[in-house]
């Protein structure tokens, strides 16, 4: 008598069978069989093989809940925007007829059941779609013909109709567009509105300091030499013509480059700025080639593996790791983009940070690198550089306008020369700070208010506020007091609204069942709330009086 266990090992399941064999009488009997299905997809199996960890069911539900909430809030913003645009009489008829503005006597703005029209395309009798903004498209074609005369509407070099949106967005920053075009532009910002900083900012800033965030253009670059070695004196426009020393074997900064600068000024008791104590921090992206990497084993128990990375600029970066890695040997001879932050005093001399001249942020060296922070910095720098070159600067403060649409349209114009098809959303502008969209939207609404009386009609605005805030009287009053009321409503209350993070700090060490005592005239007493809880929930609890 012999028993055999057979296993069929698959990627997502294990089959098993237990059989009994009697060779004397030649009998084969199946004792039991079955299969065990592994409830994991290919991604989970890959995570388990690489990390040895599988996400819990709760973590997976949390991962799915996030996108659901984002989609729900996107739809809610769109519905609220529909309500406002309808009162402004800005929605095209073929679009508004499919919207439900009265549902069970309540405000709505949602699409009617089984309807989801496209604002830029109007359906015809034969169920074909006609591009609604044909006049704006023809305007764009004339503008593109300045770059490529071969572009035509019907024949020749074909241009996607959807490019019209970016033509209108950059046009609206300076010129008049129709109300229906204005509606299309605003709805597009609900789809891609940038990333807001949600970190809790420190409230421990010194009262005698003023912090300014600036983007300044490089005016002059001069090569010089001192005891420390070769350096380049870089002078920036504005900020008291601040210049600083960039020590490097090669020139890394060119005239016209944009530098992200933070200026921290000290103020005395009389309100005067002490220029001697002014500090500057410059953050920029540099393309550096790794010329050598040195490995050293240290006595540090936490990070015993130390790597010294040497760049072609003469800079060095020391990295300490807990585990040994061979990636630093693989990067020799290759160039990477690094985010580098350097502190300077008033005279432009380097102020060391923890014994280092500069803070170098390493990129992701893997072949499938997706460095979110680096991509964000590069995208924003390119947009600001374009705005400086093309005159998108505040005339009063000389500060650079943070717009994205002019850069996008310029890329599309270049595509007419090369024949490329640049991906916009999720491509060139995948990661952008929300402040860029905020400044652009404020400028668009500000310009269009000059040309459309509906945007200045106080009665229309009051109707919008009453519709959106029927119960929140205090917020409605604050909106009505605002001089730029319609602008603030569209930009901050609808399109760029970001709910506050829910803080649970109030519940820390504050259990409602906890008995608390106070001293009063030499006697201990229990607070009334706690006493009521004790009477209700713990009737036999011994009270302290």
């Amino acid at each position: 008598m012999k028993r055999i266990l057979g296993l069929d090992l698959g990627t997502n399941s294990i089959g098993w069978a237990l059989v009994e064999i009697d060779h004397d009488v030649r009998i084969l009997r199946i004792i039991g069989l079955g299969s065990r299905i592994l409830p994991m997809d290919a991604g989970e199996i890959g995570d388990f093989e690489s990390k040895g960890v599988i996400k819990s069911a709760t973590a997976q539900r949390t991962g799915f809940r996030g996108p659901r909430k984002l989609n729900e809030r996107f739809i809610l913003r769109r519905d609220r925007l529909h309500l406002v645009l309808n009162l402004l009489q800005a929605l095209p008829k073929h679009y508004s007829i499919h919207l439900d503005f009265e549902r069970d006597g309540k405000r709505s703005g949602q699409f009617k059941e089984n309807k989801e029209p496209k604002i830029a395309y109007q359906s015809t009798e034969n169920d074909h779609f006609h591009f609604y903004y044909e006049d704006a498209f023809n305007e764009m074609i004339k503008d593109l013909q300045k770059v490529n005369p071969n572009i035509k509407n019907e024949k020749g070099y074909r241009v996607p109709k959807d490019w019209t949106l970016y033509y209108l967005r950059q046009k609206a920053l300076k010129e008049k567009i129709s109300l229906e075009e204005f509606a299309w532009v605003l709805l597009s910002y609900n789809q891609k509105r940038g990333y807001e900083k949600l970190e809790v900012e420190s409230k421990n800033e010194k009262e005698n300091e003023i912090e300014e965030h600036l983007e300044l253009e490089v005016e002059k670059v001069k090569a010089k030499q001192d005891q420390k070695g070769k350096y380049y004196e870089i002078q920036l426009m504005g900020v008291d013509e601040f210049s600083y020393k960039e020590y490097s074997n090669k020139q890394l900064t060119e005239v016209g480059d944009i530098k992200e600068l933070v200026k921290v000024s000290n103020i005395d008791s009389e309100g005067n700025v002490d220029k001697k104590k002014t500090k500057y921090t410059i953050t920029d992206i540099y393309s550096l080639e790794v010329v050598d990497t040195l490995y050293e084993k240290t006595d540090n128990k936490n990070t015993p593996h130390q790597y010294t990375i040497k760049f072609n600029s003469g800079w060095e970066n020391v990295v300490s790791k807990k585990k040994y890695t061979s990636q630093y040997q693989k990067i020799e001879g290759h160039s990477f983009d690094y985010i580098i932050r350097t502190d300077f005093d008033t005279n432009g001399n380097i102020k060391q940070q923890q014994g280092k001249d500069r803070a170098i942020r390493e990129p992701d060296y893997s072949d499938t690198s997706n460095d979110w922070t680096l991509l964000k910095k590069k995208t924003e720098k390119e947009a600001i550089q374009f705005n400086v070159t093309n005159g998108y600067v505040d005339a009063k403060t000389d500060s650079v306008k943070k717009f994205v649409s002019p850069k996008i349209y310029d890329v599309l114009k270049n595509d007419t020369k090369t024949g490329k098809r640049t991906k916009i959303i999720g491509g060139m502008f995948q990661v952008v700070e929300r402040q860029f969209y905020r400044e652009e939207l404020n400028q668009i609404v500000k310009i269009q208010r000059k040309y459309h009386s509906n945007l200045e009609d106080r009665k229309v605005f009051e109707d919008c506020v009453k519709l959106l805030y029927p119960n929140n009287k205090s917020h409605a009053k604050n909106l009505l007091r605002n001089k730029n009321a319609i602008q603030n409503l569209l930009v901050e209350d609808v399109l760029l609204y970001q709910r506050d993070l829910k803080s649970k700090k109030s519940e820390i060490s504050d259990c409602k069942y906890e008995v608390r005592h106070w001293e009063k005239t030499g006697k201990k007493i229990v607070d009334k709330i706690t006493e009521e809880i004790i009477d209700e929930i713990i009737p036999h609890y011994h009270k302290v009086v």
Side-chain angles (χ1 to χ4, degrees):
M1 187 78 67
K2 182 185 292 187
R3 289 187 176 183
I4 301 174
L5 174 64
L7 298 175
D8 178 17
L9 304 179
T11 57
N12 288 72
S13 64
I14 298 176
W16 64 273
L18 182 63
V19 299
E20 187 178 70
I21 301 177
D22 190 339
H23 291 285
D24 295 336
V25 295
R26 295 185 178 183
I27 293 177
L28 173 65
R29 184 167 67 91
I30 300 176
I31 298 175
L33 56 81
S35 63
R36 172 61 174 167
I37 307 299
L38 304 180
M40 296 191 297
D41 56 23
E44 290 179 283
I45 295 174
D47 289 341
F48 178 75
E49 291 176 348
S50 60
K51 303 176 184 177
V53 179
I54 300 177
K55 286 185 177 180
S56 66
T58 304
Q60 293 182 39
R61 288 198 302 272
T62 302
F64 291 124
R65 191 184 303 118
R68 286 203 305 271
K69 286 183 177 180
L70 290 176
N71 186 57
E72 180 186 357
R73 290 165 189 163
F74 159 78
I75 294 175
L76 180 59
R77 290 194 307 271
R78 184 186 64 190
D79 295 343
R80 286 162 56 84
L81 184 59
H82 283 159
L83 294 172
V84 176
L85 292 175
N86 182 57
L87 291 176
L88 293 173
Q89 300 180 2
L91 292 173
K93 289 185 179 180
H94 76 273
Y95 186 77
S96 60
I97 60 174
H98 296 298
L99 298 178
D100 190 355
F101 294 105
E102 288 293 335
R103 179 174 294 183
D104 299 330
K106 298 180 181 180
R107 58 185 176 83
S108 177
Q110 300 177 0
F111 291 129
K112 292 181 180 179
E113 190 173 355
N114 299 324
K115 297 290 183 180
E116 191 168 353
K118 304 295 182 183
I119 190 170
Y121 291 90
Q122 182 178 8
S123 60
T124 60
E125 296 179 356
N126 300 326
D127 290 333
H128 294 294
F129 288 91
H130 168 72
F131 186 67
Y132 186 74
Y133 299 97
E134 197 70 36
D135 292 340
F137 176 70
N138 292 330
E139 283 182 24
M140 181 184 67
I141 291 297
K142 292 180 180 179
D143 187 55
L144 295 178
Q145 285 175 342
K146 299 174 183 177
V147 178
N148 186 352
N150 296 325
I151 295 177
K152 298 180 181 179
N153 291 14
E154 304 297 333
K155 299 180 181 180
Y157 193 97
R158 299 186 63 184
V159 174
K161 301 271 180 141
D162 293 340
W163 283 14
T164 311
L165 173 63
Y166 297 104
Y167 168 74
L168 289 174
R169 280 170 55 158
Q170 61 86 30
K171 178 185 176 182
L173 291 167
K174 294 182 177 180
E175 305 175 38
K176 177 184 176 181
I177 60 174
S178 69
L179 274 177
E180 292 184 344
E181 292 169 345
F182 180 66
W184 187 25
V185 167
L186 291 186
L187 284 167
S188 72
Y189 284 100
N190 187 43
Q191 294 177 318
K192 189 70 173 176
R193 59 193 195 128
Y195 296 85
E196 188 78 291
K197 292 181 179 179
L198 296 179
E199 297 87 1
V200 179
E201 296 182 359
S202 174
K203 302 298 181 182
N204 298 325
E205 296 180 359
K206 298 180 180 178
E207 295 182 358
N208 61 336
E209 286 186 352
I210 296 177
E211 188 172 292
E212 301 175 70
H213 294 258
L214 307 166
E215 285 84 20
L216 302 177
E217 187 177 1
V218 176
E219 186 176 16
K220 296 179 183 179
V221 179
K222 293 181 180 180
K224 293 187 176 182
Q225 185 88 20
D226 64 6
Q227 296 178 351
K228 293 183 179 180
K230 184 178 181 181
Y231 71 91
Y232 292 86
E233 186 180 70
I234 300 171
Q235 184 172 330
L236 303 178
M237 293 183 180
V239 194
D240 305 324
E241 296 182 347
F242 172 68
S243 61
Y244 64 93
K245 300 174 183 177
E246 186 173 81
Y247 287 87
S248 174
N249 295 338
K250 56 177 293 186
Q251 184 173 341
L252 300 173
T253 300
E254 302 289 342
V255 174
D257 285 354
I258 300 298
K259 298 291 182 179
E260 180 183 328
L261 183 140
V262 177
K263 177 185 177 183
V264 180
S265 305
N266 280 65
I267 302 175
D268 58 22
S269 57
E270 297 179 357
N272 300 317
V273 176
D274 188 351
K275 295 184 178 180
K276 295 181 179 180
K277 294 183 179 180
T278 303
K279 297 177 290 186
Y280 301 88
T281 299
I282 293 179
T283 304
D284 202 358
I285 300 172
Y286 295 88
S287 180
L288 303 176
E289 181 184 350
V290 179
V291 296
D292 193 13
T293 55
L294 303 176
Y295 169 73
E296 182 182 358
K297 187 74 177 288
T298 66
D299 297 330
N300 191 325
K301 294 182 179 180
N302 296 325
T303 53
H305 305 284
Q306 182 174 292
Y307 303 86
T308 302
I309 306 172
K310 296 185 177 182
F311 303 102
N312 59 342
S313 61
W315 299 347
E316 293 184 357
N317 187 36
V318 179
V319 182
S320 297
K321 296 286 186 180
K322 186 176 182 179
K323 295 182 179 180
Y324 176 82
T325 177
S326 61
Q327 69 172 351
Y328 293 107
Q329 277 69 41
K330 298 177 182 179
I331 64 175
E332 290 184 13
H334 296 279
S335 296
F336 300 92
D337 290 327
Y338 294 83
I339 299 175
I340 297 178
R341 190 184 75 253
T342 314
D343 292 340
F344 298 93
D345 60 16
T346 307
N347 299 321
N349 297 315
I350 293 177
K351 296 183 64 177
Q352 289 195 339
Q353 312 167 43
Q354 299 179 352
K356 298 181 179 180
D357 287 345
R358 56 192 63 84
I360 301 177
R361 183 188 180 277
E362 285 192 295
D364 185 354
Y365 294 117
S366 64
D367 296 332
T368 57
S369 173
N370 187 17
D371 195 325
W372 191 91
T373 304
L374 180 62
L375 179 60
K376 176 178 177 293
K377 285 283 184 185
K378 290 179 68 175
T379 305
E380 293 174 354
K381 183 179 178 180
E382 289 174 1
I384 291 173
Q385 185 77 60
F386 178 84
N387 293 339
V388 170
T389 306
N390 291 272
Y392 290 97
V393 180
D394 193 319
K396 295 182 180 179
T397 62
D398 289 332
S399 59
V400 185
K401 293 289 188 179
K402 292 184 176 180
F403 297 155
V404 294
S405 293
K407 172 65 177 176
I408 293 175
Y409 183 64
D410 184 70
V411 171
L412 296 179
K413 289 176 72 174
N414 290 332
D415 284 354
T416 61
K417 294 180 182 179
T418 61
K420 293 181 180 179
R421 286 291 180 268
T422 303
K423 185 177 181 182
I424 305 301
I425 297 179
M428 62 174 293
F429 277 89
Q430 182 178 354
V431 184
V432 182
E433 193 174 308
R434 185 165 297 170
Q435 185 60 28
F436 281 76
Y437 292 91
R438 178 174 282 108
E439 287 194 20
E440 186 165 301
L441 270 168
N442 279 317
Q443 178 71 6
I444 288 176
V445 178
K446 178 182 177 181
I447 295 299
Q448 299 312 309
R449 286 172 63 185
K450 299 177 182 178
Y451 301 105
H452 299 288
S453 59
N454 284 11
L455 296 175
E456 293 289 348
D457 192 326
R458 188 69 180 179
K459 178 65 170 59
V460 173
F461 173 69
E462 289 176 356
D463 292 341
C464 292
V465 173
K466 290 178 182 178
L467 186 60
L468 294 180
Y469 302 102
N471 301 318
N472 194 344
K473 304 297 183 182
S474 61
H475 186 67
K477 287 182 179 178
N478 291 333
L479 282 173
L480 293 171
R481 292 193 195 105
N482 196 329
K483 293 181 180 180
N484 298 322
I486 191 65
Q487 183 172 322
N488 190 70
L489 178 70
L490 286 170
V491 178
E492 300 298 337
D493 275 47
V494 179
L495 285 169
L496 301 185
Y497 172 75
Q498 183 73 38
R499 69 180 185 87
D500 296 330
L501 292 176
K502 295 180 180 179
S503 174
K504 297 297 180 182
K505 289 183 178 180
S506 60
E507 298 182 4
I508 298 177
S509 300
D510 189 19
C511 175
K512 65 180 181 179
Y513 303 119
E514 180 184 0
V515 179
R516 293 162 288 178
H517 303 85
W518 284 264
E519 292 288 342
K520 183 177 181 182
T521 63
K523 295 182 180 180
K524 287 186 176 181
I525 62 172
V526 182
D527 69 306
K528 294 181 180 179
I529 297 177
T530 306
E531 194 169 5
E532 292 173 0
I533 293 171
I534 293 173
D535 289 336
E536 181 180 352
I537 300 177
I538 316 176
H540 302 293
Y541 194 93
H542 177 66
K543 301 179 189 177
V544 179
V545 181

